Amino acid sequence: MAASVVDLAAFAPEEELAQRRGRDLRLLRRFHRLAGPVLLYAGPYEPRGGLEHAIDAALRLSAEVPELRLVALPFGPIDRRYLDRCEREALRLGHHGIVEQRVEERDLPLWLAVADVVCCPATAAVNTLPVLLAQAARAPLVATAAALGQADPGDAVVRIPAGDPDALAAAVRGALDDAAAEPAGGRVGVAAIRLAYVASAPTNPYLRLLYSHLAERGVAAERWPAPSLRRLARSRGRVDLLHVHWPEGLYRARRGPRLLRPLLSRVKLVRLVVRLAAARALGYRIAWTVHQVLPHERDDRRLDLAAARLLARRADLLLAHDAATAHAVQERLGARRPVHVAPHGSYRGVYAERAGREATRRRLGIPSGAVAFLAFGELRAYKGVAALLDAFATLDGEEAALVVAGRPTDAALARRVREAQAADPRIVALLGVVPDEEVADLYAAADVAVVARADGGTSGSLVLALTLAKPVVVADRPAYVELARPEAAWLFDPQEPGSLERALRDAIAARHELPLRSARAAERAEALDWAPIADQLAELLRDAAER
């Protein structure tokens, strides 16, 4: 990290530092469970930086100052082997050691303000930026001559010999004794938690909305591709809880010869069993948000059921978005704990109109007098798009139009949509990723959204339609009826031939009701406000983490 990229003047004004000791500092301390004094190591992750001496000093002080937390931040080069060795040593500190592998520049003032002592125990010349930053932030500093270089902090630094953990521990102890009774950021309890989430759909806006609202309530989140044993060991004590969404990515094999994938999937499932057992042994708690009881595409029903039962029985907290899914988890998976219902929050604020209704309809070639239906989202077989195309083909005249928009993941279905578009000029196919800036315009151009899937479970497309004030044609399934209510929907029975077609016709016939039904859809979205949902989830996650 070069000194030129950091404005040292930004650290200097006392009133700015005072502001930083407010909400942001409290959140930082809560996220990292910094209930006691903080010793901050700032330097390179290589032998000359002396990180191992800081860890050794923290270990020597652990009995005397049991709440002391060591936080290590990288300034300069990173020697991977050295870092791995230091992280193994830091594990001896248990949850009292944090080794960050990167730090954003905007977070540096917070870390320096939250530190009770900054130590720079370099054994050879290193970047003097940490010393300058600590001086600007007026943080107590313990440093060697090699770390100080040409910098001259004057009496603000306690100078120690290089390579002497005993001297470092004594200097830190003295600095703590000289400090005020309260830590720089103000003591806070450990009521907040940190979780890691695992999701096979990491770009879903739902996750961003969920964790941003939880962050405001003291629940910090980071994404893990998978809970590997190495990651579990490294994060022990820093992360309290593992939160799983859409778990099929943890046990389904998507690579390798197709004939071997069933066997490889079972090997991955065994590995998942081992990882979950290791997580529990290391003190993690496990939460599972059940978006649907079994995955949509059921390549191997027995495998999916075995994995779902494993998670349901190992989880400390089970969550569902609706009562029907919660009941199914209890009945089908043999859950040993109650399943808590926390609705899927709305997508308010994610998408905004740009071109507007009329301009978008002109661009898509939708006649001004037609009732436009919109099927939006990834084109996957389970979503019922093929059944929708069949039903729409039975509608006569120019009074209807259908827009099918989304990225296809099923080649046969994509081909079917293109063929339908070629045969019927009323159909508009937008096959590909729809940019976020165009989503709201598509819904503005439509009169009715269609969610043709028949399997129940969470439907982000249904929540999005309600958020953007569109009534829906939706399957008569408990989860969907609970969410949309009949006043904002036309229901169809997926098991009854011709039912979807009749629902489409009913929507066209009720075109005079569209403004009222749109208002009802907006009201349903109001009930999906994130604030109370996040309040409930934060408490549930906190309770699970503290068991």
Side-chain angles (χ1 to χ4, degrees):
M1 184 180 297
S4 61
V5 301
V6 178
D7 180 7
L8 296 181
F11 294 81
E14 192 164 348
E15 61 273 16
E16 182 175 337
L17 290 176
Q19 291 175 359
R20 292 184 184 279
R21 296 179 191 275
R23 178 177 178 274
D24 288 347
L25 280 174
R26 290 193 296 272
L27 283 176
L28 181 69
R29 295 186 70 89
R30 284 174 178 159
F31 287 175
H32 292 276
R33 303 186 70 174
L34 305 175
V38 175
L39 171 60
L40 178 68
Y41 166 85
Y45 288 170
E46 58 179 10
R48 62 178 177 164
L51 174 56
E52 78 272 26
H53 301 314
I55 295 171
D56 196 348
L59 285 167
R60 294 167 194 246
L61 289 168
S62 59
E64 196 175 349
V65 190
E67 288 189 330
L68 179 69
R69 299 294 300 274
L70 172 67
V71 177
L73 301 183
F75 281 79
I78 296 178
D79 180 323
R80 183 58 54 180
R81 290 186 179 179
Y82 178 77
L83 174 59
D84 288 345
R85 177 162 64 85
C86 287
E87 285 190 324
R88 287 194 297 272
E89 284 296 305
L91 287 176
R92 295 168 59 195
L93 288 165
H95 67 277
H96 294 289
I98 301 173
V99 178
E100 294 285 348
Q101 296 207 26
R102 66 188 297 263
V103 59
E104 300 291 341
E105 289 169 12
R106 65 177 179 269
D107 293 333
L108 293 176
L110 292 177
W111 279 115
L112 287 160
V114 86
D116 293 273
V117 182
V118 177
C119 72
C120 300
T123 58
V126 294
N127 190 341
T128 59
L129 178 59
V131 170
L132 296 173
L133 294 179
Q135 181 183 12
R138 302 182 184 179
L141 177 65
V142 175
T144 61
L148 292 172
Q150 300 301 312
D152 183 15
D155 295 336
V157 63
V158 177
R159 292 170 171 79
I160 56 171
D164 189 341
D166 285 325
L168 176 58
V172 170
R173 172 75 269 184
L176 291 174
D177 287 343
D178 292 340
E182 293 296 309
R187 286 188 183 273
V188 297
V190 289
I193 62 168
R194 189 174 189 94
L195 64 82
Y197 67 93
V198 183
S200 58
T203 59
N204 191 319
Y206 161 80
L207 295 173
R208 174 161 48 87
L209 291 166
L210 168 66
Y211 291 118
S212 64
H213 284 87
L214 286 176
E216 296 173 358
R217 290 152 179 82
V219 180
E222 60 187 63
R223 180 177 175 264
W224 288 4
S228 66
L229 295 179
R230 183 178 185 181
R231 190 180 295 272
L232 288 168
R234 282 183 170 182
S235 301
R236 181 186 184 187
R238 185 176 67 86
V239 172
D240 307 279
L241 186 143
L242 302 181
H243 191 185
V244 178
H245 303 265
W246 305 291
E248 51 267 33
L250 296 176
Y251 64 85
R252 283 184 177 179
R254 295 301 190 191
R255 298 179 181 178
R258 186 172 296 276
L259 291 177
L260 289 179
R261 288 180 189 174
L263 175 60
L264 295 174
S265 293
R266 280 157 175 76
V267 172
K268 285 190 71 174
L269 180 58
V270 171
R271 185 174 66 177
L272 177 59
V273 172
V274 172
R275 287 173 168 179
L276 292 178
R280 297 300 302 274
L282 290 170
Y284 293 88
R285 295 295 178 260
I286 300 167
W288 178 24
T289 291
V290 187
H291 295 261
Q292 57 276 326
V293 176
L294 295 178
H296 301 301
E297 287 92 0
R298 300 174 188 177
D299 302 335
D300 187 332
R301 186 179 181 84
R302 292 177 63 184
L303 176 73
D304 291 332
L305 188 58
R309 285 176 173 166
L310 166 71
L311 262 174
R313 293 173 183 177
R314 295 290 178 90
D316 299 279
L317 174 64
L318 289 165
L319 299 163
H321 294 308
D322 59 86
T325 301
H327 178 73
V329 173
Q330 295 280 13
E331 292 295 311
R332 299 179 63 184
L333 303 184
R336 297 169 181 171
R337 297 182 181 276
V339 184
H340 299 272
V341 176
H344 185 308
S346 78
Y347 289 100
R348 177 178 294 176
V350 177
Y351 306 105
E353 282 187 44
R354 295 197 177 193
R357 175 181 172 87
E358 296 306 324
T360 305
R361 285 175 77 102
R362 285 195 299 269
R363 177 171 65 86
L364 298 177
I366 300 173
S368 59
V371 173
F373 296 97
L374 171 64
F376 178 84
E378 277 192 336
L379 296 186
R380 299 166 66 179
Y382 77 90
K383 291 195 174 183
V385 175
L388 172 60
L389 293 172
D390 290 338
F392 185 81
T394 67
L395 304 181
D396 299 322
E398 300 292 325
E399 60 184 355
L402 172 62
V403 179
V404 179
R407 181 177 68 91
T409 62
D410 183 308
L413 180 57
R415 185 166 56 252
R416 173 75 186 279
V417 172
R418 291 190 184 98
E419 291 171 353
Q421 180 186 34
D424 189 340
R426 301 173 302 168
I427 296 176
V428 179
L430 304 174
L431 303 188
V433 176
V434 178
D436 286 353
E437 59 269 21
E438 296 181 10
V439 172
D441 286 327
L442 284 180
Y443 277 90
D447 298 291
V448 179
V450 183
V451 179
R453 56 182 284 190
D455 61 344
T458 301
S459 172
S461 296
L462 175 52
V463 175
L464 178 58
L466 297 175
T467 301
L468 297 178
K470 290 300 164 186
V472 291
V473 171
V474 67
D476 188 359
R477 291 289 182 262
Y480 304 153
V481 175
E482 177 184 338
L483 188 57
R485 306 281 174 85
E487 57 266 28
W490 292 271
L491 304 177
F492 71 92
D493 185 349
Q495 304 303 318
E496 182 183 337
S499 182
L500 176 54
E501 173 193 337
R502 286 193 295 275
L504 297 176
R505 291 185 184 277
D506 289 345
I508 295 171
R511 61 197 312 156
H512 62 284
E513 297 179 9
L514 288 175
L516 177 61
R517 293 199 182 229
S518 294
R520 295 291 180 266
E523 289 174 3
R524 293 302 305 141
E526 289 285 344
L528 302 177
D529 179 59
W530 271 106
I533 295 170
D535 286 341
Q536 176 194 6
L537 285 171
E539 288 304 314
L540 290 170
L541 291 166
R542 187 173 291 110
D543 289 345
E546 293 175 352
R547 283 178 191 155

